[in-house]
Amino acid sequence: MELPNCPNCGCEYTYEDAGMVVCPECANEWNPADQQQEEMVRDAVGNILQDGDAVTVIKDLKVKGSSNTLKIGTKVKSIRLVDGDHNIDCKIDGFGAMQLKSEFVKKA
């Protein structure tokens, strides 16, 4: 079994001790099961998002490079989760392909 790198410092020399994973460089201890749960993408209300979900925008958002605004209540179908700051890829009618932050949507 290969242990994960330390989430704090990135050290690859982690070891397991009593069900926890320990980093010898920064002394960080964590439970790998808890870390997997944290990596899940959650909406503004705390619901877990998955690929293909439909979401609703909860705040008027300015669209970079356009004079239009994405209005509150806009429904977005078939989202795709990606890594990064803007963790939702989607297509919105009238706007085209966009990236959204999960903190500005809620699961429909």
Side-chain angles (χ1 to χ4, degrees):
M1 178 179 156
E2 189 169 315
L3 295 173
N5 292 352
C6 176
N8 283 352
C9 68
C11 174
E12 61 186 43
Y13 302 110
T14 56
Y15 61 92
E16 191 170 7
D17 184 32
M20 302 289 279
V21 179
V22 182
C23 175
E25 291 185 6
C26 70
N28 181 32
E29 295 183 16
W30 73 98
N31 186 338
D34 292 343
Q35 184 182 14
Q36 288 176 348
Q37 189 134 21
E38 290 175 11
E39 291 175 1
M40 293 182 193
V41 177
R42 297 185 180 267
D43 67 2
V45 190
N47 298 320
I48 297 172
L49 296 175
Q50 297 177 347
D51 286 343
D53 282 346
V55 296
T56 304
V57 178
I58 62 165
K59 177 183 176 184
D60 286 347
L61 300 172
K62 292 182 180 178
V63 179
K64 195 171 191 177
S66 174
S67 61
N68 295 336
T69 302
L70 191 59
K71 298 290 185 185
I72 187 171
T74 302
K75 295 186 188 227
V76 182
K77 301 176 193 172
S78 299
I79 64 169
R80 189 175 71 226
L81 302 178
V82 295
D83 291 333
D85 187 31
H86 291 74
N87 47 7
I88 297 175
D89 262 351
C90 59
K91 288 184 182 177
I92 301 175
D93 293 337
F95 288 94
M98 306 193 95
Q99 289 187 328
L100 298 171
K101 291 185 179 183
S102 60
E103 62 197 58
F104 297 122
V105 299
K106 73 175 183 179
K107 196 170 184 175

